Amino acid sequence: MSIKEKINRVQRHRFGPVFLVIALLCSISLITRVALLIYSASAVDWSILNLLKILIIGLFYDLAAASFAVIPIVIYLWLLPSKWYVSKFNRILLFIYFFFVVFTLIFNAISEWFFWEEFSVRYNFIAVDYLVYTTEVIGNIRQSYPINSIMVGLVIVTLLIIFFLRKSITISTTNTIGFGKRTKIALVLLCLPVFTYFGVSHKLKYLSKNQYVNELSGNGMYDFGFAFWNNQLDYNTFYKTLPIKDAETILSHLLQQDTINKGVFKNTSRTISNAGTDNKMNVVLISVESLSAEFLGAFGNTQHITPQLDSLAKQGLLFNNLYASGTRTVRGLEALSLCIPPTPGQSIVKRPDNKNLFTLGSVFRSKGYNSRFIYGGYGYFDNMNEFFSNNGYQVTDRSALQDSEIHYSNIWGVADEDLFTLSLRELDKDYKDKKPFFAQIMTVSNHRPYTYPEGRIDIPSHTGREGAVKYTDYAIGKFIREAKQKPWFSNTLFVIVADHCASSAGKVQLPVDKYHIPMIFYSPGHIAPGKFGKLTAQIDIGPTILGYLNFSYNSKFFGQDVFKMKDSDERAFISTYQSLGYIKNSTLVILDPNKKAATYKPDFTTGNAIAIPADQKLINEAISNYQMASYLYQNRLYGFESKKKP
């Protein structure tokens, strides 16, 4: 029997539509994979072996995804009586079904393209996370892409494919098969997704040292399902561990360096004692959306898109060796407020039971400050209102602005200049009430769809990232100029830092250059211009601010005051939602959820990394930090104890 005859026989079988769905899914997935491969050609490690991995492992995951996709049609073909199966009504239903199948597969392919363009990965935890905020995500898509034209094109292409496949869709409706026989076939087909769920490992695609090859070897739909069912990763279950006492001992050694008065160390609790009185300056911490270090002229950029920040960098203290904890805003908010290494899975900002934690805001509040979190969007997004309002902050979001006060807004929030207008108003209230203030301000404009008020800068709105960066830079410059006119300006420390980089894509698992962010301490008359070059983690920012203010307090922070840090104590934490990185001594340790730990020599300019022999001391330090962070949160030992005073 020829191949053509075999295909024809399959098509004529009662379950022929099942195999047609599988063929469509695998074909469109292959086209998507090849398109993404071509798009990322310059970053892919080209070799025959890698191409075979992409195609063969990719097909394996396509089939795994297909085993789930065919469940509805298998059940339908199994239970539908034969007399109805050969009817015209059934043929119409099959055409409707295949229209939605083809439309969905092509829609998914286009969605994967846009997701890859933004993140250079298949669907992952981020895609699942966005499902919660459909209003913002759909709004962002509509404002960023010609969605109406895309949908019309999708319908046309779908109809053309259906027309081409019309015979294959209906040919099986001319044959009947007994209920007993089709039950056996259906049960076999329905066992496949069960086998896939329990027997297929997500690790198979991670066989290459090139991250792009690994991602291209996957299937977006399968990866989405995996991320959906595994969006919480228990550290002890998935990662290397130490006896908890050993982890605490290692952490004690690492953190005791910043305690002048050596007190009792329990978990991370310790006394930070500074001679003299507190320096109760106001503090304004501006967390800038997606501000990679590479955007600033101070780091070699020649596009001149950050003139205001470059000027402030020259007037203040520029931290030029600072690394973000993660790749999303919630990770930045977590690092800045909790000063804790990024635990795997969801950010603590979005987890249940995250009230009354030990935060930077709670420390300031214990010192008599009014602690604020001010956001340009609606604070329900990413659980910001709930988290900050229950952890020592007073929350103000865009709902505090009147329509007449908003010059421009998109789905993510108001233009940054309007956010800063709101911020000035709130800070003026605190000054009028004779209250020192700590304000953490979160910007939104440097985010797709990259829109902002026209006429502010020389780059038109909606033309790309560079314009959004320059507009945010303009808004920050305007805010500082207006703040200079305020009576509280001379006693205020401004800290400008990114929440994360604009992109986390790289050839390796954790490209260190994609976590490099800028920070500026700016306070004329208090801070002399200069550069701070020690390796700094995003979780160090809070303790460093408190140290600069000469505060004595009881700390639970994992972060340290980098102004007092010894050279031997420099380290940083970087992560995705599942890969946990620890940088120290120009070495990168990566902990993975398959209980693996590997050591690399990273290139801090290109982001590439070369595997080197395991450094067990650094691996144990990495494990201790991440394991203890998860342990303290899960056991509710990272809370703020308001009755205790330093």
Tab-separated table of all heavy atoms in Angstrom, residues 594-633:
chain	number	residue	atom	x	y	z
A	594	ASN	N	15.358	21.370	38.686
A	594	ASN	CA	15.599	19.924	38.634
A	594	ASN	C	16.679	19.519	39.634
A	594	ASN	O	17.365	18.521	39.450
A	594	ASN	CB	16.000	19.502	37.215
A	594	ASN	CG	17.132	20.363	36.670
A	594	ASN	OD1	17.701	21.171	37.403
A	594	ASN	ND2	17.445	20.199	35.399
A	595	LYS	N	16.792	20.334	40.693
A	595	LYS	CA	17.787	20.118	41.762
A	595	LYS	C	19.213	20.113	41.225
A	595	LYS	O	20.083	19.389	41.711
A	595	LYS	CB	17.496	18.821	42.531
A	595	LYS	CG	16.251	18.900	43.420
A	595	LYS	CD	16.116	17.692	44.315
A	595	LYS	CE	14.907	17.820	45.237
A	595	LYS	NZ	15.062	18.827	46.283
A	596	LYS	N	19.444	20.931	40.225
A	596	LYS	CA	20.785	21.062	39.663
A	596	LYS	C	21.386	22.403	40.043
A	596	LYS	O	20.681	23.396	40.237
A	596	LYS	CB	20.742	20.928	38.137
A	596	LYS	CG	20.507	19.515	37.637
A	596	LYS	CD	20.635	19.452	36.127
A	596	LYS	CE	20.464	18.020	35.611
A	596	LYS	NZ	20.575	17.952	34.128
A	597	ALA	N	22.700	22.408	40.141
A	597	ALA	CA	23.441	23.642	40.381
A	597	ALA	C	24.657	23.633	39.469
A	597	ALA	O	25.372	22.633	39.395
A	597	ALA	CB	23.863	23.745	41.837
A	598	ALA	N	24.856	24.727	38.763
A	598	ALA	CA	25.980	24.811	37.834
A	598	ALA	C	26.706	26.131	38.035
A	598	ALA	O	26.124	27.124	38.485
A	598	ALA	CB	25.492	24.685	36.391
A	599	THR	N	27.994	26.133	37.701
A	599	THR	CA	28.835	27.311	37.872
A	599	THR	C	29.346	27.777	36.510
A	599	THR	O	29.761	26.955	35.692
A	599	THR	CB	30.037	26.997	38.787
A	599	THR	OG1	29.565	26.368	39.984
A	599	THR	CG2	30.783	28.264	39.164
A	600	TYR	N	29.318	29.100	36.296
A	600	TYR	CA	29.696	29.663	34.993
A	600	TYR	C	30.619	30.862	35.181
A	600	TYR	O	30.619	31.525	36.222
A	600	TYR	CB	28.459	30.121	34.217
A	600	TYR	CG	27.476	29.020	33.918
A	600	TYR	CD1	26.478	28.688	34.836
A	600	TYR	CD2	27.528	28.306	32.724
A	600	TYR	CE1	25.563	27.678	34.575
A	600	TYR	CE2	26.616	27.294	32.445
A	600	TYR	CZ	25.643	26.989	33.373
A	600	TYR	OH	24.743	25.991	33.102
A	601	LYS	N	31.375	31.137	34.129
A	601	LYS	CA	32.166	32.364	34.052
A	601	LYS	C	31.451	33.270	33.048
A	601	LYS	O	31.510	33.045	31.842
A	601	LYS	CB	33.589	32.062	33.584
A	601	LYS	CG	34.480	33.297	33.506
A	601	LYS	CD	34.695	33.935	34.885
A	601	LYS	CE	35.467	33.038	35.822
A	601	LYS	NZ	35.780	33.679	37.130
A	602	PRO	N	30.736	34.290	33.544
A	602	PRO	CA	29.947	35.129	32.639
A	602	PRO	C	30.759	36.259	32.020
A	602	PRO	O	31.732	36.743	32.612
A	602	PRO	CB	28.867	35.688	33.562
A	602	PRO	CG	29.545	35.789	34.893
A	602	PRO	CD	30.535	34.658	34.954
A	603	ASP	N	30.341	36.665	30.839
A	603	ASP	CA	30.877	37.857	30.194
A	603	ASP	C	29.888	38.984	30.484
A	603	ASP	O	28.765	38.973	29.984
A	603	ASP	CB	31.015	37.638	28.681
A	603	ASP	CG	31.698	38.804	27.975
A	603	ASP	OD1	31.402	39.957	28.339
A	603	ASP	OD2	32.501	38.556	27.058
A	604	PHE	N	30.290	39.950	31.289
A	604	PHE	CA	29.369	40.987	31.734
A	604	PHE	C	29.046	42.001	30.641
A	604	PHE	O	28.160	42.836	30.827
A	604	PHE	CB	29.941	41.697	32.974
A	604	PHE	CG	29.920	40.847	34.206
A	604	PHE	CD1	30.965	39.966	34.481
A	604	PHE	CD2	28.850	40.896	35.079
A	604	PHE	CE1	30.945	39.166	35.616
A	604	PHE	CE2	28.821	40.096	36.218
A	604	PHE	CZ	29.866	39.224	36.484
A	605	THR	N	29.730	41.921	29.510
A	605	THR	CA	29.448	42.809	28.388
A	605	THR	C	28.483	42.181	27.397
A	605	THR	O	27.495	42.798	26.989
A	605	THR	CB	30.751	43.194	27.655
A	605	THR	OG1	31.636	43.829	28.586
A	605	THR	CG2	30.458	44.149	26.504
A	606	THR	N	28.736	40.937	27.026
A	606	THR	CA	27.893	40.267	26.035
A	606	THR	C	26.793	39.421	26.663
A	606	THR	O	25.810	39.079	25.996
A	606	THR	CB	28.740	39.350	25.137
A	606	THR	OG1	29.279	38.272	25.926
A	606	THR	CG2	29.883	40.126	24.505
A	607	GLY	N	26.951	39.052	27.922
A	607	GLY	CA	25.974	38.198	28.579
A	607	GLY	C	26.246	36.718	28.419
A	607	GLY	O	25.591	35.892	29.070
A	608	ASN	N	27.155	36.346	27.536
A	608	ASN	CA	27.470	34.931	27.342
A	608	ASN	C	28.135	34.360	28.593
A	608	ASN	O	28.665	35.099	29.431
A	608	ASN	CB	28.392	34.745	26.135
A	608	ASN	CG	27.694	35.118	24.840
A	608	ASN	OD1	26.474	35.057	24.749
A	608	ASN	ND2	28.461	35.510	23.836
A	609	ALA	N	28.119	33.037	28.710
A	609	ALA	CA	28.708	32.395	29.882
A	609	ALA	C	29.299	31.054	29.495
A	609	ALA	O	28.765	30.356	28.634
A	609	ALA	CB	27.663	32.222	30.975
A	610	ILE	N	30.411	30.728	30.133
A	610	ILE	CA	31.093	29.456	29.880
A	610	ILE	C	31.037	28.613	31.152
A	610	ILE	O	31.346	29.100	32.244
A	610	ILE	CB	32.563	29.697	29.476
A	610	ILE	CG1	32.641	30.562	28.215
A	610	ILE	CG2	33.278	28.373	29.255
A	610	ILE	CD1	34.046	31.000	27.869
A	611	ALA	N	30.623	27.358	31.020
A	611	ALA	CA	30.568	26.466	32.177
A	611	ALA	C	31.970	26.208	32.709
A	611	ALA	O	32.913	25.995	31.942
A	611	ALA	CB	29.899	25.152	31.788
A	612	ILE	N	32.121	26.232	34.020
A	612	ILE	CA	33.404	25.974	34.669
A	612	ILE	C	33.169	24.961	35.790
A	612	ILE	O	32.024	24.700	36.171
A	612	ILE	CB	34.030	27.268	35.234
A	612	ILE	CG1	33.097	27.920	36.262
A	612	ILE	CG2	34.354	28.243	34.111
A	612	ILE	CD1	33.684	29.141	36.954
A	613	PRO	N	34.235	24.363	36.329
A	613	PRO	CA	34.053	23.398	37.420
A	613	PRO	C	33.270	23.994	38.583
A	613	PRO	O	33.380	25.184	38.884
A	613	PRO	CB	35.488	23.066	37.827
A	613	PRO	CG	36.288	23.294	36.580
A	613	PRO	CD	35.649	24.468	35.909
A	614	ALA	N	32.479	23.170	39.223
A	614	ALA	CA	31.608	23.624	40.307
A	614	ALA	C	32.405	24.254	41.443
A	614	ALA	O	33.435	23.730	41.856
A	614	ALA	CB	30.786	22.451	40.840
A	615	ASP	N	31.939	25.398	41.907
A	615	ASP	CA	32.508	26.065	43.076
A	615	ASP	C	31.540	25.811	44.231
A	615	ASP	O	30.533	26.514	44.383
A	615	ASP	CB	32.663	27.559	42.810
A	615	ASP	CG	33.392	28.292	43.927
A	615	ASP	OD1	33.220	27.904	45.097
A	615	ASP	OD2	34.124	29.252	43.626
A	616	GLN	N	31.812	24.788	45.040
A	616	GLN	CA	30.856	24.348	46.040
A	616	GLN	C	30.588	25.409	47.093
A	616	GLN	O	29.473	25.525	47.610
A	616	GLN	CB	31.338	23.056	46.714
A	616	GLN	CG	30.238	22.317	47.466
A	616	GLN	CD	29.058	21.964	46.588
A	616	GLN	OE1	29.210	21.376	45.509
A	616	GLN	NE2	27.857	22.332	47.031
A	617	LYS	N	31.587	26.223	47.412
A	617	LYS	CA	31.386	27.274	48.416
A	617	LYS	C	30.351	28.281	47.922
A	617	LYS	O	29.424	28.646	48.651
A	617	LYS	CB	32.707	27.978	48.706
A	617	LYS	CG	32.607	29.084	49.772
A	617	LYS	CD	33.975	29.653	50.088
A	617	LYS	CE	33.908	30.718	51.180
A	617	LYS	NZ	33.142	31.914	50.755
A	618	LEU	N	30.488	28.710	46.662
A	618	LEU	CA	29.526	29.662	46.111
A	618	LEU	C	28.158	29.015	45.927
A	618	LEU	O	27.121	29.661	46.129
A	618	LEU	CB	30.030	30.216	44.776
A	618	LEU	CG	31.215	31.180	44.831
A	618	LEU	CD1	31.492	31.756	43.442
A	618	LEU	CD2	30.970	32.299	45.825
A	619	ILE	N	28.140	27.747	45.536
A	619	ILE	CA	26.866	27.040	45.383
A	619	ILE	C	26.132	26.992	46.719
A	619	ILE	O	24.925	27.251	46.799
A	619	ILE	CB	27.092	25.618	44.830
A	619	ILE	CG1	27.524	25.687	43.359
A	619	ILE	CG2	25.826	24.774	44.978
A	619	ILE	CD1	27.906	24.348	42.765
A	620	ASN	N	26.847	26.708	47.794
A	620	ASN	CA	26.226	26.661	49.119
A	620	ASN	C	25.731	28.035	49.559
A	620	ASN	O	24.687	28.152	50.219
A	620	ASN	CB	27.199	26.098	50.147
A	620	ASN	CG	27.421	24.607	49.992
A	620	ASN	OD1	26.649	23.925	49.318
A	620	ASN	ND2	28.478	24.092	50.606
A	621	GLU	N	26.464	29.090	49.200
A	621	GLU	CA	26.007	30.445	49.512
A	621	GLU	C	24.718	30.755	48.757
A	621	GLU	O	23.773	31.337	49.322
A	621	GLU	CB	27.086	31.468	49.162
A	621	GLU	CG	28.275	31.469	50.098
A	621	GLU	CD	29.270	32.575	49.773
A	621	GLU	OE1	28.919	33.478	48.971
A	621	GLU	OE2	30.391	32.553	50.314
A	622	ALA	N	24.684	30.375	47.475
A	622	ALA	CA	23.480	30.604	46.672
A	622	ALA	C	22.297	29.851	47.263
A	622	ALA	O	21.197	30.411	47.436
A	622	ALA	CB	23.722	30.171	45.227
A	623	ILE	N	22.506	28.574	47.574
A	623	ILE	CA	21.437	27.761	48.161
A	623	ILE	C	20.951	28.378	49.467
A	623	ILE	O	19.739	28.483	49.714
A	623	ILE	CB	21.931	26.320	48.404
A	623	ILE	CG1	22.182	25.604	47.075
A	623	ILE	CG2	20.914	25.534	49.238
A	623	ILE	CD1	22.863	24.256	47.220
A	624	SER	N	21.867	28.808	50.312
A	624	SER	CA	21.500	29.354	51.622
A	624	SER	C	20.611	30.581	51.476
A	624	SER	O	19.600	30.725	52.186
A	624	SER	CB	22.758	29.709	52.416
A	624	SER	OG	23.534	28.562	52.663
A	625	ASN	N	20.966	31.484	50.575
A	625	ASN	CA	20.162	32.694	50.379
A	625	ASN	C	18.766	32.369	49.872
A	625	ASN	O	17.761	32.827	50.426
A	625	ASN	CB	20.876	33.637	49.408
A	625	ASN	CG	21.902	34.515	50.082
A	625	ASN	OD1	21.567	35.509	50.703
A	625	ASN	ND2	23.173	34.134	49.957
A	626	TYR	N	18.688	31.585	48.815
A	626	TYR	CA	17.393	31.293	48.212
A	626	TYR	C	16.546	30.375	49.091
A	626	TYR	O	15.325	30.560	49.209
A	626	TYR	CB	17.586	30.681	46.827
A	626	TYR	CG	17.987	31.696	45.782
A	626	TYR	CD1	19.250	31.663	45.187
A	626	TYR	CD2	17.107	32.686	45.378
A	626	TYR	CE1	19.619	32.590	44.225
A	626	TYR	CE2	17.453	33.621	44.420
A	626	TYR	CZ	18.716	33.569	43.841
A	626	TYR	OH	19.067	34.491	42.885
A	627	GLN	N	17.164	29.385	49.697
A	627	GLN	CA	16.416	28.460	50.551
A	627	GLN	C	15.865	29.186	51.779
A	627	GLN	O	14.700	28.989	52.156
A	627	GLN	CB	17.310	27.298	50.983
A	627	GLN	CG	16.590	26.251	51.832
A	627	GLN	CD	17.513	25.110	52.242
A	627	GLN	OE1	18.608	24.950	51.699
A	627	GLN	NE2	17.080	24.315	53.201
A	628	MET	N	16.688	30.024	52.395
A	628	MET	CA	16.237	30.747	53.580
A	628	MET	C	15.156	31.769	53.237
A	628	MET	O	14.221	31.981	54.017
A	628	MET	CB	17.419	31.442	54.260
A	628	MET	CG	18.327	30.509	55.041
A	628	MET	SD	17.501	29.731	56.460
A	628	MET	CE	17.179	31.157	57.494
A	629	ALA	N	15.263	32.399	52.070
A	629	ALA	CA	14.228	33.351	51.657
A	629	ALA	C	12.876	32.647	51.547
A	629	ALA	O	11.853	33.140	52.036
A	629	ALA	CB	14.603	33.996	50.326
A	630	SER	N	12.859	31.476	50.908
A	630	SER	CA	11.619	30.710	50.780
A	630	SER	C	11.144	30.210	52.144
A	630	SER	O	9.951	30.252	52.452
A	630	SER	CB	11.836	29.522	49.841
A	630	SER	OG	12.114	29.957	48.528
A	631	TYR	N	12.087	29.744	52.965
A	631	TYR	CA	11.748	29.207	54.284
A	631	TYR	C	11.103	30.280	55.167
A	631	TYR	O	10.071	30.035	55.819
A	631	TYR	CB	13.018	28.663	54.940
A	631	TYR	CG	12.858	28.258	56.382
A	631	TYR	CD1	12.309	27.026	56.724
A	631	TYR	CD2	13.276	29.103	57.411
A	631	TYR	CE1	12.167	26.649	58.058
A	631	TYR	CE2	13.138	28.746	58.742
A	631	TYR	CZ	12.582	27.519	59.060
A	631	TYR	OH	12.451	27.158	60.371
A	632	LEU	N	11.684	31.463	55.204
A	632	LEU	CA	11.163	32.524	56.063
A	632	LEU	C	9.782	32.977	55.615
A	632	LEU	O	8.893	33.221	56.438
A	632	LEU	CB	12.129	33.713	56.085
A	632	LEU	CG	13.495	33.473	56.720
A	632	LEU	CD1	14.314	34.756	56.726
A	632	LEU	CD2	13.350	32.936	58.131
A	633	TYR	N	9.583	33.086	54.299
A	633	TYR	CA	8.267	33.506	53.812
A	633	TYR	C	7.218	32.431	54.091
A	633	TYR	O	6.133	32.723	54.610
A	633	TYR	CB	8.319	33.818	52.319
A	633	TYR	CG	6.938	34.072	51.758
A	633	TYR	CD1	6.265	35.255	52.045
A	633	TYR	CD2	6.291	33.108	50.989
A	633	TYR	CE1	4.984	35.476	51.574
A	633	TYR	CE2	5.010	33.319	50.512
A	633	TYR	CZ	4.360	34.509	50.805
A	633	TYR	OH	3.079	34.722	50.346
